[in-house]
Amino acid sequence: MGQNASLVMLLALGLLLGACVLNPATAPCQLRGTADDPLVTPDIDDCRPQCPNLARTDRDIAYNERQVAELEETHSNSLAPPIRHARERHELARLQAILDAHRKGRKPTL
């Protein structure tokens, strides 16, 4: 995938995070190049879900909704170990915060 200095689709740990609308002044990630370089790009290996430069499209939200449905199904498995329930409960809360914030038109507080 080619990188554009202003828009990069992000895939981290197998999860589609969204699109990076890079503003080097507010990016918490490491940058490749200097901040004043017109070709500066974000280090997508250092992408952070709470980044103010992250934009989620309706496609990203639909993906998160599918993830929530899958997690709710596996979370209801009473035979799963407690550590799995705790991990899935945490991920469900994180994804639900993203969905709630998207519906309200604001950034999530994670």
Side-chain angles (χ1 to χ4, degrees):
M1 163 175 51
Q3 290 187 348
N4 177 309
S6 61
L7 182 66
V8 177
M9 295 307 294
L10 299 174
L11 184 65
L13 302 174
L15 299 176
L16 182 65
L17 295 176
C20 177
V21 184
L22 181 63
N23 176 350
T26 61
C29 65
Q30 299 293 318
L31 300 176
R32 293 186 180 164
T34 60
D36 58 347
D37 182 350
L39 299 178
V40 67
T41 59
D43 180 355
I44 59 173
D45 294 333
D46 189 29
C47 181
R48 301 174 193 183
Q50 67 278 21
C51 178
N53 297 321
L54 187 61
R56 291 182 176 89
T57 65
D58 289 339
R59 183 185 67 189
D60 303 327
I61 295 302
Y63 176 83
N64 285 338
E65 289 170 337
R66 288 191 303 275
Q67 289 297 106
V68 165
E70 289 176 20
L71 283 170
E72 285 173 340
E73 184 178 324
T74 58
H75 183 263
S76 64
N77 180 352
S78 61
L79 299 177
I83 188 88
R84 181 175 174 189
H85 280 281
R87 182 178 61 239
E88 289 173 353
R89 190 171 41 252
H90 180 267
E91 183 63 4
L92 277 169
R94 186 186 74 78
L95 290 172
Q96 197 58 56
I98 290 169
L99 295 174
D100 292 346
H102 180 77
R103 290 181 186 119
K104 293 177 183 176
R106 60 175 172 73
K107 289 279 187 182
T109 54
L110 300 176

